[in-house]
């Protein structure tokens, strides 16, 4: 396989990887609740994305660098929304 196809394959993977969290961000903003999200999972993912960024930078692989950078930012947004909505959730006493 030549370098052009490998590069296109890498950028396609980066694009798909970077878009799969957008629906979660939109849903969090719409429902304004964080129930069902695992904060520990998000933190572990965020650390992994940070390592992807470093790895991509060190080996000069732009798709990997951008996967890490954009996914890291998306996770930071989700973590912020998680804490924001957790803090601002009103619990109604129905009993």
């Amino acid at each position: 396989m030549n370098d052009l196809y490998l590069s296109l394959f890498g950028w396609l993977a980066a694009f798909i990887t970077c878009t799969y969290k957008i629906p979660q961000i939109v849903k969090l903003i719409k429902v304004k609740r964080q129930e069902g999200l695992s904060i520990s999972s998000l933190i572990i993912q965020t650390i992994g994305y940070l390592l992807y960024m470093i790895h991509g930078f060190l080996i000069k692989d732009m798709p990997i660098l951008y996967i890490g950078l954009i996914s890291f930012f998306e996770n930071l947004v989700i973590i912020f929304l998680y804490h924001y909505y957790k803090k601002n959730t009103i619990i109604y006493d129905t009993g």
Side-chain angles (χ1 to χ4, degrees), residues 71-93:
S71 297
F72 180 81
F73 176 72
E74 288 173 335
N75 266 30
L76 289 181
V77 169
I78 292 172
I79 290 170
F80 169 79
L81 291 172
Y82 176 92
H83 287 293
Y84 179 79
Y85 291 130
K86 182 178 180 181
K87 184 177 84 170
N88 293 312
T89 299
I90 298 171
I91 299 174
Y92 296 100
D93 185 8

Side-chain angles (χ1 to χ4, degrees), residues 32-90:
K32 298 183 182 349
R33 291 190 324 267
Q34 88 296 352
E35 287 93 15
L37 291 178
S38 168
I39 192 65
S40 57
S41 174
L42 289 169
I43 290 169
I44 291 167
Q45 282 180 338
T46 304
I47 293 168
Y49 292 139
L50 178 62
L51 295 175
Y52 268 122
M53 284 189 313
I54 294 168
H55 176 67
F57 176 77
L58 292 174
I59 67 170
K60 296 178 180 32
D61 187 328
M62 296 312 285
I64 291 177
L65 175 64
Y66 284 114
I67 286 171
L69 181 66
I70 294 169
S71 297
F72 180 81
F73 176 72
E74 288 173 335
N75 266 30
L76 289 181
V77 169
I78 292 172
I79 290 170
F80 169 79
L81 291 172
Y82 176 92
H83 287 293
Y84 179 79
Y85 291 130
K86 182 178 180 181
K87 184 177 84 170
N88 293 312
T89 299
I90 298 171

